[in-house]
C-alpha cells in the first residue's frame, strides 16, 4: 500500500491552497458580518476560478472538465473547505447528475454549467421529506407534452443564485413487497418558469451568506423534454451523485478540522497563563494530540474511500463511513478548539466560532449521522444474510 500523494497531487494542493489564501479568505470576515456575498465579489471569484482552471473540477474531460480522479477532487475539496461555503461555492462544481443530460439538454444545461455560464441547485428535500427522501410529496402530472408540478421544497442551497433547479417529483407509484412506493422523476426547471416561486428560507447559523431557499410549485408547467434521465428513474439518476457527494463532504470536514487544528496549535503555543504557554499543560496538550490523531484518521479514511471510487469498488457503506467519521471528528475538533481558546473562542473577531458553527451542519446534510449508521449497518447485515 502506498500512502504517499503523487507530485501532481501535491502541486494541486499547493495551487488550491494559494487560491484560497489570496482570493477567498480575505473576504470571509466581511461576508460573515453582512450575511451576504456581493454579486461583484461572486463574479470575481468565479472568473478567477475559471482562469486558474479550478472551475467544474468534478467534471470529465469529454464535457470540458479537467477529468480529475476522485482522490484529486477530494484534495481540492479539502483545501476549499478551509473557507466558508458562502465563498467557495463560487468555485463551482456543477452537479454530477447533469451527466445524465441528453440531446438539447447538453447544450442548454450541462455545457453552460461546465463553462461557468449557468449554475444549478439540487431540489430534493421537503418539509416532510428529509432523511426519508422517498417520502417526497411534490407531484408532476403528465399533461400532453408537459408535466405540471405542484408542491414545495425547502433547505435548497443557493437556489436564489441558480439559473435552474434539478427537481425531484413523484410521477406515479408501483408496488414492491406488497407496499405502494413512489415512482420519482428528475426535472430540469428554469428559475424563471411560470408557477415556480423561489423565496429565501430561514436563516441558518452555519455558513452565513450561503443561503437556503424554499421553492413553491403552483401548476408549474415543465416540458417533457426537461426530464433528466427517464421518467420514473429519478433515484437511478440521483444515487451515484448522492453517494459520491458524501465522500466530498468528508473531505470538506477534514479541511475544516485542519484549519481549526492550525488555529489551536498557534494559540496553545502563544497564549500564556501562570507564566507559561498553555500548550505546556497536559490538559491542553493532550487535547491537541487527540485532535490531530482523529484528523489524520479521518483524512486517510476519506482518501482511501476516494481511491475506492477511482477503482470502482466503493460501496454505499464505504461512503457512509467516511462521511460519518469525518463529520463527527470535525464536531469534536472544533468543540475542543473552542475549549482551548476559552472565552476568545466564542468571539466573532476570531474565525474559530464560525468554524464551530459551520461544523454543526455537516452531521445533517448529505444524510444525517444516523442515516449513515443505518447504511453502514444495513450493508454489514446484508453481507451476512446473503
Amino acid at each position: 500500500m502506498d500512502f504517499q500523494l503523487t507530485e501532481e497531487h501535491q502541486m494541486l494542493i499547493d495551487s488550491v491552497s494559494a487560491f484560497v489564501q489570496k482570493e477567498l479568505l480575505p473576504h470571509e470576515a466581511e461576508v460573515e458580518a453582512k450575511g451576504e456575498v456581493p454579486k461583484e465579489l461572486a463574479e470575481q471569484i468565479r472568473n478567477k476560478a475559471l482562469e486558474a482552471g479550478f472551475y467544474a473540477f468534478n467534471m470529465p474531460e469529454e464535457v470540458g472538465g479537467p477529468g480529475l480522479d476522485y482522490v484529486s477532487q477530494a484534495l481540492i475539496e479539502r483545501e476549499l473547505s478551509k473557507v466558508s461555503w458562502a465563498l467557495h461555492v463560487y468555485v463551482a462544481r456543477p452537479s454530477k447528475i447533469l451527466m445524465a443530460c441528453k440531446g438539447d439538454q447538453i447544450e442548454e444545461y450541462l455545457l453552460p454549467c461546465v463553462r461557468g455560464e449557468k449554475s444549478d441547485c439540487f431540489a430534493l428535500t421537503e418539509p416532510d421529506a428529509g432523511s426519508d427522501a422517498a417520502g417526497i410529496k411534490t407531484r408532476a402530472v403528465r399533461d400532453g407534452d408537459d408535466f405540471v408540478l405542484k408542491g414545495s421544497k425547502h433547505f435548497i442551497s443557493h437556489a436564489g443564485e441558480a439559473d435552474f433547479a434539478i427537481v425531484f417529483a413523484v410521477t406515479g407509484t408501483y408496488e414492491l413487497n406488497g407496499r405502494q412506493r413512489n415512482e420519482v422523476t428528475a426535472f430540469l426547471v428554469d428559475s424563471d418558469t411560470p408557477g415556480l416561486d423561489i423565496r429565501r428560507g430561514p436563516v441558518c447559523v452555519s455558513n452565513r451568506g450561503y443561503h437556503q431557499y424554499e421553492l413553491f410549485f403552483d401548476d408549474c408547467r415543465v416540458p417533457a423534454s426537461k426530464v433528466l434521465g427517464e421518467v420514473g428513474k429519478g433515484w437511478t439518476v440521483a444515487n451515484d451523485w448522492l453517494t459520491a457527494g458524501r465522500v466530498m463532504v468528508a473531505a470538506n470536514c477534514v479541511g475544516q478540522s485542519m484549519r481549526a487544528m492550525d488555529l489551536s496549535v498557534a494559540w496553545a503555543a502563544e497564549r500564556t497563563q501562570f507564566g507559561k504557554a498553555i500548550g505546556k499543560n497536559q490538559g491542553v496538550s493532550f487535547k491537541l494530540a487527540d485532535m490531530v490523531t482523529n484528523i489524520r484518521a479521518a483524512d486517510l479514511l476519506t482518501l482511501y474511500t476516494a481511491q475506492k471510487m477511482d477503482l470502482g469498488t466503493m460501496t454505499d457503506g464505504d461512503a457512509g463511513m467516511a462521511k460519518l467519521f469525518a463529520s463527527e471528528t470535525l464536531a469534536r475538533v472544533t468543540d475542543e478548539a473552542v475549549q482551548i481558546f476559552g472565552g476568545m473562542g466564542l468571539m466573532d473577531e476570531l474565525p474559530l466560532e464560525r468554524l464551530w458553527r459551520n461544523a454543526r451542519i455537516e452531521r445533517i446534510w448529505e444524510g444525517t449521522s444516523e442515516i449513515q449508521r443505518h447504511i453502514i449497518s444495513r450493508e454489514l447485515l446484508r453481507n451476512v444474510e446473503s
Side-chain angles (χ1 to χ4, degrees), residues 33-207:
K34 293 182 177 179
E36 296 279 352
V37 179
K39 288 185 178 179
E40 59 273 16
L41 176 58
E43 190 65 25
Q44 173 185 312
I45 293 171
R46 182 182 291 109
N47 289 337
K48 294 281 188 180
L50 284 163
E51 291 172 13
F54 299 144
Y55 202 89
F57 63 80
N58 63 326
M59 302 303 278
E61 286 183 293
E62 59 263 31
V63 297
L68 296 175
D69 58 32
Y70 283 111
V71 170
S72 296
Q73 293 178 42
L75 293 171
I76 293 176
E77 292 283 1
R78 194 180 73 183
E79 296 306 311
L80 288 177
S81 69
K82 294 176 183 178
V83 68
S84 167
W85 261 102
L87 288 162
H88 79 80
V89 67
Y90 293 104
V91 187
R93 309 69 129 170
S95 295
K96 197 71 173 286
I97 193 174
L98 290 174
M99 289 301 296
C101 284
K102 56 185 181 296
D104 292 342
Q105 295 174 352
I106 295 171
E107 288 292 341
E108 189 174 357
Y109 296 102
L110 173 58
L111 297 183
C113 283
V114 175
R115 295 191 295 258
E117 298 162 1
K118 284 186 176 182
S119 63
D120 65 273
C121 66
F122 191 81
L124 172 60
T125 303
E126 298 182 3
D128 295 321
S131 294
D132 181 17
I136 63 174
K137 296 178 180 178
T138 297
R139 293 294 193 269
V141 178
R142 188 71 183 250
D143 183 21
D145 293 332
D146 300 332
F147 282 87
V148 179
L149 275 65
K150 290 185 70 72
S152 65
K153 303 288 181 180
H154 80 163
F155 297 159
I156 309 305
S157 303
H158 214 57
E161 290 76 30
D163 296 284
F164 65 95
I166 302 165
V167 180
F168 291 80
V170 177
T171 49
T173 59
Y174 65 96
E175 186 174 310
L176 180 66
N177 297 328
R179 292 179 57 192
Q180 288 294 312
R181 298 180 181 272
N182 286 332
E183 183 182 78
V184 174
T185 302
F187 296 88
L188 300 165
V189 184
D190 296 327
S191 296
D192 60 358
T193 302
L196 169 57
D197 183 17
I198 301 174
R199 307 174 195 170
R200 275 283 298 274
V203 177
C204 182
V205 300
S206 299
N207 296 300

Side-chain angles (χ1 to χ4, degrees), residues 189-262:
V189 184
D190 296 327
S191 296
D192 60 358
T193 302
L196 169 57
D197 183 17
I198 301 174
R199 307 174 195 170
R200 275 283 298 274
V203 177
C204 182
V205 300
S206 299
N207 296 300
R208 289 174 181 164
Y210 183 60
H211 300 145
Q212 309 300 310
Y213 290 83
E214 297 173 324
L215 278 58
F216 298 90
F217 302 90
D218 184 10
D219 290 336
C220 179
R221 190 170 287 271
V222 179
S225 61
K226 305 288 187 180
V227 169
L228 183 61
E230 299 178 31
V231 174
K233 303 294 184 181
W235 294 136
T236 301
V237 173
N239 281 339
D240 287 343
W241 181 87
L242 291 170
T243 302
R246 287 171 180 150
V247 182
M248 297 306 150
V249 170
N252 270 270
C253 292
V254 171
Q256 293 175 68
S257 298
M258 287 176 167
R259 185 180 177 192
M261 185 75 217
D262 290 343

Side-chain angles (χ1 to χ4, degrees), residues 235-305:
W235 294 136
T236 301
V237 173
N239 281 339
D240 287 343
W241 181 87
L242 291 170
T243 302
R246 287 171 180 150
V247 182
M248 297 306 150
V249 170
N252 270 270
C253 292
V254 171
Q256 293 175 68
S257 298
M258 287 176 167
R259 185 180 177 192
M261 185 75 217
D262 290 343
L263 291 168
S264 299
V265 171
W267 181 263
E270 296 168 7
R271 170 72 168 167
T272 59
Q273 290 287 280
F274 304 106
K276 62 180 179 180
I278 62 171
K280 299 289 185 181
N281 297 312
Q282 189 177 97
V284 173
S285 64
F286 278 22
K287 288 184 189 299
L288 295 174
D290 288 341
M291 289 159 67
V292 76
T293 300
N294 277 279
I295 293 170
R296 176 70 60 82
D299 191 30
L300 289 173
L301 176 58
T302 299
L303 294 176
Y304 167 74
T305 308

